[in-house]
Amino acid sequence: MTTDQDLPMDGQSATVVFAAKGTDVTPNKDQGVIKVVKRPGLDGDRPMIGDRVTVHYTGKLLNGKKFDCSRDRKEPFCFNVGKGQVLKAWDIGVLSMQRGEVCTLLCKPEYAYGIAGNPDKIPPSSSVVFEMELLKFEGEMLTDDGGILRRIKVKGDGYTNPNDGASVDVHLEGSCGGRLFDCRDVSFIVGEAEDKGVPLGVDRAMDKMQKGECCVLYLEPKYGFGSEGKPEYKIGPDKDIVYEVTLKDFQRAKESWEMDLNEKLDLAAGVKHKGNQYFKAGRHHQAVIQYQRIVSWLEMECGTGIEQQKRIHDFILTSHLNLALCFLRIKEFSQVVENCNKVIELDERNEKALYRRGEARLLRNEFSLAMADFQQVLQVNPSNRAARAQISICQSKIKEHHEQDKKTYANMFQKFAERDAKTKKTKRRQDESIRSVMNGDVGIKRRRRSQDCPS
């Protein structure tokens, strides 16, 4: 990285030099952030709003005094650019950089530390200088598994986002391997995009978007068209796809706190039906969305009167059972156990919950726990042949596991014994070698003594 020697650091001359050499990168062109490129970056795209960027930086006052430096800590700094997580000057400056670029930013107080400054470091109403190096950047991950990556081309307006059940109007452009296969305006209900042939990943990104936003979504197969592909679009199985999405307008659905209990119960029936339809069609992720909506509405409700309480109880219990079944299908076994536990809290002898929890535990190789669940199933229903068969499988797996442990430990002990024997053999050779050397020395000394004696 280059030094600051070519940029004077006393207040007046620094401002003059920056104005002469630099570029005003503020949207309003008010010279709030003036940028001087010290080392050009690699040709290519620049970070987009929301991208995860990694930078090195050094912050100085105009008199040259350093007040912060990531290199001194020997650790670069990461943040989501354009999201207000850092100084305004950083958001503006970094969005103008290319990968590998080094630049210096002269930042007015309103783009840096403001009127207050920063106690013990930045005097009030101070302009500051930052040297920045953009090391790398990547899209914003919208899911924990990294299956949906977003890059924002145009930032949206306002602070509200669509929620599950919201009506949205979007423009879509889908591509695969650089080939455009989908270009249309479409309206759908968030959580039900499948009905309009819109991929799950686009649906799940909606609650992160704002009106007017245009973003590019990179979708892994799980969030695209899966292992089935999309024959009508000539997309094969397990293909990554890209969607450019513009959120033109939306109407939020009522939140839980905006509805009374009767309204929630009435809506729950329709949402449950929708979830069941998705499940039967093999759209398990979409079914999960519907069942989770019911839980979010009713899990904190008590109800008045026996009939209302029973309806709440039945909806909650059924939703958790259905969630457990969906998560079994998509192999998220910890979620299966969690939802079965919720059911068992409501009904400790629930046959389906005990059985499904046993299935999940068996698939997680928790054989003893799984067998205990299946044994409880038989206590509830002694004629459950499936549970009896699963117990046999558990017993077989436990036996197999024990046999494997025996082999492992036997091999381990054998290796220990071989190593000890080898160590003893090596030591014995060393001892013999030492004795041999000592005997040789004694012989030499004796010969020397005999030679020194008069003949």
Side-chain angles (χ1 to χ4, degrees):
M1 186 182 289
T2 56
T3 67
D4 286 318
Q5 292 176 355
D6 58 328
L7 296 172
M9 293 306 295
D10 62 285
Q12 187 174 0
S13 58
T15 305
V16 171
V17 169
F18 270 90
K21 288 190 173 184
T23 303
D24 183 356
V25 291
T26 58
N28 300 328
K29 300 303 176 186
D30 59 6
Q31 295 196 322
V33 184
I34 299 176
K35 170 185 167 183
V36 175
V37 177
K38 302 182 73 175
R39 186 182 75 198
L42 303 173
D43 289 337
D45 62 348
R46 290 176 167 81
M48 293 183 183
I49 296 167
D51 280 2
R52 189 74 175 168
V53 300
T54 303
V55 301
H56 265 310
Y57 69 91
T58 300
K60 295 182 180 181
L61 301 176
L62 292 188
N63 62 14
K65 182 181 179 181
K66 182 169 66 175
F67 59 83
D68 194 9
C69 181
S70 62
R71 292 186 182 278
D72 290 348
R73 296 189 296 274
K74 298 180 180 178
E75 185 178 1
F77 184 74
C78 301
F79 64 98
N80 292 99
V81 68
K83 292 287 192 175
Q85 297 177 356
V86 292
L87 297 177
K88 193 175 180 181
W90 280 30
D91 275 339
I92 293 170
V94 172
L95 283 170
S96 74
M97 298 175 70
Q98 293 177 316
R99 186 180 282 104
E101 179 181 318
V102 178
C103 72
T104 307
L105 305 173
L106 174 63
C107 316
K108 285 184 176 180
E110 55 267 36
Y111 288 88
Y113 295 96
I115 297 173
N118 190 331
D120 303 325
K121 287 188 177 182
I122 317 293
S125 299
S126 293
S127 292
V128 294
V129 172
F130 281 102
E131 183 175 275
M132 310 287 294
E133 180 180 9
L134 179 57
L135 302 174
K136 63 179 181 178
F137 58 88
E138 60 184 4
E140 178 187 9
M141 291 184 184
L142 300 187
T143 55
D144 292 338
D145 60 8
I148 306 176
L149 203 67
R150 173 175 70 165
R151 304 196 67 204
I152 300 173
K153 295 179 72 174
V154 179
K155 190 175 181 180
D157 301 321
Y159 299 96
T160 59
N161 315 87
N163 56 350
D164 281 335
S167 302
V168 297
D169 301 321
V170 300
H171 177 73
L172 301 178
E173 293 183 15
S175 60
C176 181
R179 177 180 64 85
L180 185 70
F181 63 81
D182 188 8
C183 183
R184 57 182 162 140
D185 291 322
V186 62
S187 300
F188 61 88
I189 305 297
V190 178
E192 302 176 14
E194 169 71 20
D195 298 352
K196 298 294 181 74
V198 176
L200 176 66
V202 174
D203 184 283
R204 291 299 83 198
M206 283 294 111
D207 67 353
K208 309 291 192 306
M209 296 183 67
Q210 296 166 329
K211 184 177 178 179
E213 179 181 318
C214 175
C215 68
V216 181
L217 300 174
Y218 299 85
L219 309 179
E220 291 185 355
K222 173 182 175 180
Y223 295 97
F225 299 121
S227 57
E228 300 172 1
K230 197 78 170 175
E232 56 264 46
Y233 290 148
K234 297 180 180 178
I235 295 176
D238 298 317
K239 294 288 186 181
D240 290 345
I241 58 174
V242 179
Y243 262 89
E244 184 172 305
V245 183
T246 303
L247 179 57
K248 297 161 65 179
D249 200 4
F250 69 91
Q251 184 68 45
R252 283 177 62 85
K254 282 186 177 181
E255 295 287 0
S256 181
W257 55 269
E258 296 176 297
M259 297 186 284
D260 63 29
L261 181 53
N262 286 325
E263 190 175 358
K264 292 177 186 179
L265 288 169
D266 290 342
L267 284 172
V271 172
K272 177 186 172 185
H273 177 69
K274 191 72 180 176
N276 292 347
Q277 286 182 320
Y278 281 138
F279 182 84
K280 289 173 184 175
R283 304 300 184 198
H284 302 117
H285 288 96
Q286 289 86 345
V288 164
I289 295 166
Q290 304 305 317
Y291 299 136
Q292 285 178 335
R293 290 180 72 193
I294 297 172
V295 172
S296 69
W297 290 340
L298 299 177
E299 63 183 342
M300 302 303 292
E301 294 286 356
C302 297
T304 56
I306 294 174
E307 184 181 344
Q308 203 173 61
Q309 289 171 355
K310 185 178 184 306
R311 288 188 70 194
I312 294 169
H313 177 274
D314 290 347
F315 273 127
I316 289 287
L317 188 142
T318 303
S319 296
H320 280 303
L321 279 174
N322 290 344
L323 282 167
L325 193 54
C326 289
F327 285 125
L328 261 179
R329 295 290 188 271
I330 59 182
K331 296 180 170 55
E332 292 188 20
F333 303 126
S334 61
Q335 289 290 329
V336 179
V337 173
E338 184 178 322
N339 279 280
C340 288
N341 286 342
K342 295 280 188 182
V343 176
I344 292 166
E345 287 174 13
L346 298 170
D347 176 10
E348 62 181 12
R349 290 173 59 81
N350 189 283
E351 185 177 350
K352 289 182 178 178
L354 291 167
Y355 188 86
R356 288 171 191 173
R357 188 173 71 178
E359 284 186 293
R361 286 173 165 172
L362 178 56
L363 291 165
R364 287 169 67 176
N365 295 331
E366 297 171 345
F367 307 125
S368 297
L369 290 173
M371 188 162 70
D373 281 335
F374 294 129
Q375 286 170 340
Q376 281 186 269
V377 171
L378 290 180
Q379 290 175 14
V380 174
N381 179 10
S383 63
N384 191 318
R385 288 186 292 178
R388 203 173 296 279
Q390 294 282 34
I391 288 172
S392 297
I393 292 171
C394 288
Q395 289 170 335
S396 175
K397 291 286 185 182
I398 290 170
K399 184 179 178 182
E400 184 182 312
H401 190 68
H402 286 163
E403 290 297 325
Q404 188 62 43
D405 283 347
K406 282 182 185 178
K407 287 180 183 177
T408 301
Y409 290 128
N411 290 336
M412 198 183 300
F413 292 138
Q414 179 65 28
K415 285 178 182 177
F416 288 153
E418 289 173 359
R419 188 183 67 184
D420 290 345
K422 189 175 180 181
T423 303
K424 288 176 182 178
K425 189 175 181 181
T426 303
K427 191 173 185 306
R428 190 165 58 249
R429 284 178 179 172
Q430 289 174 344
D431 291 344
E432 289 172 356
S433 195
I434 290 168
R435 283 197 297 272
S436 174
V437 170
M438 291 178 69
N439 290 336
D441 287 345
V442 170
I444 290 169
K445 288 177 182 177
R446 284 175 179 169
R447 284 196 296 274
R448 281 177 180 169
R449 281 200 299 271
S450 67
Q451 289 171 359
D452 291 341
C453 292
S455 54

